[in-house]
Amino acid sequence: MGGALGKGESPKNAWIPETKLEAKMVEAMQKRESHGSSVKSFNTIILKFPKIDESFGKCKAIFKQFDEDSNGAIDQEELKKCFSKLEISFTEEEVNDLFEACDINEDMGMEFSEFIVLLCLVHLLKDDRAAVQAKSRIGMPDLETTFETLVDTFVFLDKNKDGYVSKSEMVQAINETVSGERSSGRIAMKRFEEMDWDKNGMVNFKEFLFAFTRWVGIEDEEDAEA
């Protein structure tokens, strides 16, 4: 996600989004980053995992509601109906871009963990009154708090506020949490590798979200049900 212009340039100046959706994500995140983060350490997020997992679990009912054919995945037509019902306005191109971005295994259907990532991206991109009303319509006002926690976490990690998290930023964030521990570098690298799934050295918000759903055990729950 994103491309570098030249080896001699810093990532902040050189990194450019590869898609319109990524550009919108970066712009929305930078706008959000101007307000700062309430997260002070990575440990504070880890302690919230159980509560976040519980909130994600409540999304299951929403997922089943929009999975009209009950095949365990939401296709593009079902997603369009979902947005229409929630009265969230996206152009057809935007809906297609969101679907393509969240359908990681490219099977033309979003599974539960992919659907959670999509809802969080919608939260970031549609940070307005209409989106808040949509969340209340699906009966999950606490979902907004959960998604805001995830946005806040990314803001905490992105030290230079360029809309991406680099390896050095991840190391800095982990070091702030486990100061003095020799293993902190290894922990940071492991967490970063889990996020940087396209192995390009920079992590955008979408990649972070996919890693986060694994950290709190969403995929494990899905596998257990299969």
Side-chain angles (χ1 to χ4, degrees), residues 23-195:
K24 287 175 184 172
M25 275 194 297
V26 170
E27 183 183 357
M29 184 55 73
Q30 287 176 323
K31 182 181 176 184
R32 175 62 185 75
E33 286 172 339
S34 66
H35 300 297
S37 172
S38 62
V39 176
K40 302 305 177 193
S41 78
F42 204 75
N43 271 354
T44 60
I45 297 303
I46 293 171
L47 291 172
K48 290 182 180 179
F49 277 7
K51 198 166 186 177
I52 292 169
D53 187 29
E54 183 184 345
S55 180
F56 282 168
K58 290 177 183 175
C59 293
K60 196 74 173 180
I62 304 167
F63 179 79
K64 287 179 178 176
Q65 180 184 342
F66 294 120
D67 178 20
E68 293 182 344
D69 57 9
S70 301
N71 69 343
I74 291 176
D75 61 33
Q76 273 175 294
E77 288 308 310
E78 289 170 332
L79 180 61
K80 287 173 187 174
K81 288 180 185 176
C82 168
F83 284 151
S84 176
K85 190 167 184 178
L86 297 178
E87 296 178 29
I88 296 177
S89 58
F90 280 112
T91 65
E92 183 149 355
E93 182 185 15
E94 287 173 328
V95 173
N96 292 339
D97 287 348
L98 275 166
F99 185 88
E100 190 177 319
C102 295
D103 182 23
I104 288 297
N105 54 11
E106 298 181 350
D107 59 359
M108 298 310 293
M110 279 189 302
E111 295 167 2
F112 182 50
S113 60
E114 295 171 330
F115 182 64
I116 285 175
V117 170
L118 178 129
L119 287 180
C120 197
L121 288 180
V122 169
H123 169 82
L124 176 70
L125 296 170
K126 292 284 182 180
D127 188 17
D128 54 27
R129 185 175 294 278
V132 172
Q133 290 172 343
K135 293 184 198 95
S136 66
R137 266 195 293 277
I138 59 178
M140 289 212 63
D142 61 325
L143 198 55
E144 184 178 5
T145 304
T146 297
F147 289 158
E148 191 54 33
T149 297
L150 301 188
V151 171
D152 232 16
T153 302
F154 191 90
V155 173
F156 164 71
L157 296 175
D158 184 15
K159 303 299 182 185
N160 69 359
K161 313 303 179 198
D162 66 348
Y164 295 93
V165 174
S166 66
K167 281 184 185 177
S168 61
E169 287 173 323
M170 193 66 193
V171 169
Q172 186 179 341
I174 296 292
N175 281 342
E176 289 171 4
T177 296
V178 287
S179 179
E181 291 185 25
R182 285 186 179 180
S183 60
S184 63
R186 289 199 301 274
I187 294 169
M189 282 302 98
K190 186 173 187 298
R191 290 297 191 194
F192 187 83
E193 285 166 11
E194 288 165 356
M195 292 192 294

